[in-house]
């Protein structure tokens, strides 16, 4: 936890959860981020999950992102799941990060069969 009276200049990187109530001048990378209402982050935020309530001046990339009513974001946002509370403000572009990656292993064909597999326009698979 970074208390409200703490100011950090430099990048933060943590594999664990991080709670920021103070000011960070640098990039923040962590597993889970909770930002307090009076907090200011001037830099890029990268997190698996993030709940933002303060000011962020920089881009954000998060899997699950919650922007609270008191949040003020200036920067582009890349997300997988997004919630914005009424009153939350974002100045930037939004881009959804797709979570669906085709699994080629599920689309296998048994080529050991002696009969050829022929698919025509009228063939239905599945």
């Amino acid at each position: 936890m970074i208390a409200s009276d703490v100011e950090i200049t430099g990048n933060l990187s943590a594999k664990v959860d991080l709670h920021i109530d103070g000011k960070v001048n640098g990039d923040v990378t962590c597993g889970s981020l909770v930002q307090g209402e009076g907090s200011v982050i001037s830099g890029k935020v990268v997190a698996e999950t993030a709940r933002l309530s303060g000011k962020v001046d920089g881009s954000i990339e998060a899997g699950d992102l919650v922007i609270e009513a008191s949040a003020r974001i200036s920067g582009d946002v890349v997300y997988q799941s997004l919630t914005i509370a009424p009153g939350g403000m974002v100045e930037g572009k939004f881009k959804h990060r797709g979570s669906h990656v085709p699994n080629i292993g599920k689309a296998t064909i048994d080529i050991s069969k002696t009969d050829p597999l022929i698919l025509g326009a009228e063939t239905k698979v599945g």
Side-chain angles (χ1 to χ4, degrees), residues 30-52:
C30 61
S32 179
L33 173 64
V34 175
Q35 181 193 31
E37 195 171 315
S39 174
V40 177
I41 299 172
S42 297
K44 182 177 182 177
V45 173
V46 178
E48 292 174 24
T49 64
R51 178 174 296 273
L52 306 177

Side-chain angles (χ1 to χ4, degrees), residues 9-116:
T9 300
N11 297 336
L12 289 176
S13 181
K15 293 183 181 181
V16 295
D17 300 346
L18 195 56
H19 187 115
I20 299 175
D21 284 328
K23 185 172 184 179
V24 176
N25 293 309
D27 298 342
V28 177
T29 304
C30 61
S32 179
L33 173 64
V34 175
Q35 181 193 31
E37 195 171 315
S39 174
V40 177
I41 299 172
S42 297
K44 182 177 182 177
V45 173
V46 178
E48 292 174 24
T49 64
R51 178 174 296 273
L52 306 177
S53 299
K55 181 178 179 186
V56 176
D57 187 14
S59 63
I60 299 168
E61 184 175 339
D64 296 319
L65 176 61
V66 177
I67 298 173
E68 298 290 354
S70 58
R72 301 295 177 258
I73 313 294
S74 295
D76 295 344
V77 177
V78 178
Y79 65 93
Q80 189 171 339
S81 170
L82 175 65
T83 303
I84 303 177
M89 295 175 57
V90 178
E91 291 184 28
K93 297 178 184 176
F94 287 92
K95 182 176 180 183
H96 182 263
R97 178 176 67 190
S99 61
H100 177 69
V101 178
N103 186 348
I104 297 173
K106 291 183 179 178
T108 58
I109 298 173
D110 184 3
I111 59 173
S112 65
K113 293 183 178 180
T114 55
D115 297 329

